[in-house]
Every structure is written in structure tokens, then in C-alpha cells.
Amino acid sequence: MDTTYKQTIAKLFTYEYYKEGLTGWNKSARALWIVGMAVQVFIGVVLPLMQGQGLTTTGVTATIAGIIGFTCTVCITMGKSINGILGLISALLLVGVATVTGNYSDIIMQTAYIILLDIPIVFSKQWNEGLKPHKMNGTHMIKTSGLIVVFWTLLYLLDTVVLHSPQALLDATSAMIGLVGAVLCVKGFRAQYYFWTLQGVMAVALWIQTALHGHAVYVLMLTYMLYLANDVLAFTNSKWFKKEITHA
């Protein structure tokens, strides 16, 4: 194994690595994170107890995964490389939950995020040596367009041929947006947030459509709004959209 990889793995087991990743945030990020933690705990722990449902292993695991996952997204916005290991842990927990519940599409998506986002960031020299966000040029845009076509085609085939999704078009499009955003994130392109935001807006739109048919799940709406709030934070108060950013 290459020395650099050994050093990276060793760093994952140090206190300093996590201290650096979870500190140095601006006040807006810290406030959003605290609100996010409170919402996740309320949804996953307090609400089931209030409703007399009790706590289950699956529910608690999903809550922990949600807390770690939201922390991961705030860390991405703050440009902290710790988001890679946090995303990996969250994804593995969600794979476990999805295995128990039989949600195979979620297993596939979380596995894709592990391969395209989490592991690459853990070992990314760019992220580990101090991320410097950059804009895309014409060549990058062309490559991204090709990636959109490839991902959407593969995901649509997966949803129609393997998973037989009743809303294959919407599912494939939403998943494609997320995966393209993941690739751009690894490469340090600020354009990732256009994709994350679009995915969040689509999730809210889908929730509204579901609510109009009498099946509103308000806890999902709260979760979607948290992630959209993180996108707003990236646009307004993070290193990703500072004026001095240059093209790659």
C-alpha cells in the first residue's frame, strides 16, 4: 500500500483529525447544525415516544445515520475533508437499515455514494491538503453534460428493468442529479450546489404532490428543508462562492 494511503488511514484514527473537521465553522453553519441535530433527534426519538410507538433498532440506527449524514453535508459546505468518513459511516448505516426494510433502491444509491463520493474524498489530496473551490470551464461543462446523460440512462434502465419503479422517470432524474453533484464535489467544483439545490427542490415538490393526495409526511418535509438550508448557506456564507474563486 502506498505511504500516502497509509498515512491517510492512520489519520482517521486520530483525535486531531475530527477536531479539525468539526471546528473552524462559521456561526451560520454551527447554528444550522444545532437546529439540524435537534430536528433529527425530535423526528427519530422524541416523536415516536410521544406517539407511543417506542424505539426500534432500525429507527435508532436511521436516526444516527441521519445525524451523521447531516453533519457530513455541513462539513462539505465548510470545506472539511472529514465529510468523507462521515458520509461513509452514514451510508453504511443506511445500507443496513435498507437491507432490513427491503429498500433495495436505497442500497444501490448509498453504495453509489460510497464509491463516487465518500471513499474518493477520504483519499483526496485536494480535500486533505486544504480545499480550494473552483469554477468549471467549457471543457468541464461538456464532460459534466456527458456524465448527466450516462448516469441518467443507467439509472433509468435500473429503475425500469431491475427495480420496476412506478415513477422511474422522476427517480432516475433525482438520483442522477445527486450522483453528478457527488462527482463535482470530489473534484472541488462549486457547481455541485446547483445540483444539490435542484435535487432538494425536486424532493420538496414531490412531497407537496404527495401531500395534495392526502399522504403528507411532515418529518420528510423538515428533513428536506434542512438540506435546502445548507445549500443556501453554501451560496451565501461559505468558501464555495467567494469572489476570488478561479477556473480550474
Side-chain angles (χ1 to χ4, degrees), residues 108-109 112 116 146-165 168-169 171-173 175-176 179-180:
I108 294 171
M109 281 304 301
L116 293 175
L147 198 61
I148 289 173
V149 173
V150 171
F151 276 169
W152 187 87
T153 302
L154 292 175
L155 289 164
Y156 185 74
L157 289 174
L158 175 67
D159 283 326
T160 54
V161 178
V162 179
L163 300 176
H164 304 292
S165 170
L169 181 62
D171 288 344
T173 301
M176 174 275 293
L179 293 183
V180 173

Side-chain angles (χ1 to χ4, degrees), residues 50-104:
M50 289 175 60
Q51 296 175 337
Q53 299 174 355
L55 300 178
T56 64
T57 301
T58 300
V60 171
T61 302
T63 299
I64 294 172
I67 289 172
I68 297 174
F70 185 67
T71 304
C72 167
T73 62
V74 177
C75 285
I76 291 176
T77 300
M78 290 296 98
K80 300 290 188 175
S81 63
I82 193 178
N83 79 79
I85 189 64
L86 293 179
L88 176 60
I89 294 171
S90 177
L92 289 174
L93 290 173
L94 289 174
V95 166
V97 171
T99 301
V100 172
T101 59
N103 188 347
Y104 299 109

Side-chain angles (χ1 to χ4, degrees), residues 122-140:
V122 168
F123 294 102
S124 169
K125 182 178 180 180
Q126 177 183 207
W127 276 87
N128 284 307
E129 294 185 357
L131 176 71
K132 293 182 179 179
H134 42 261
K135 303 176 184 178
M136 291 198 297
N137 58 29
T139 301
H140 296 135

Side-chain angles (χ1 to χ4, degrees), residues 185-238:
C185 178
V186 173
K187 294 183 178 296
F189 288 116
R190 72 181 195 177
Q192 64 176 292
Y193 281 98
Y194 300 126
F195 287 85
W196 299 135
T197 302
L198 180 57
Q199 188 180 48
V201 170
M202 286 184 64
V204 171
L206 179 61
W207 180 90
I208 292 174
Q209 180 183 8
T210 303
L212 291 175
H213 286 83
H215 302 288
V217 182
Y218 291 96
V219 292
L220 289 179
M221 183 61 169
L222 287 172
T223 303
Y224 296 150
M225 295 308 295
L226 280 174
Y227 282 94
L228 276 176
N230 182 64
D231 295 333
V232 172
L233 175 64
F235 285 115
T236 59
N237 192 12
S238 77

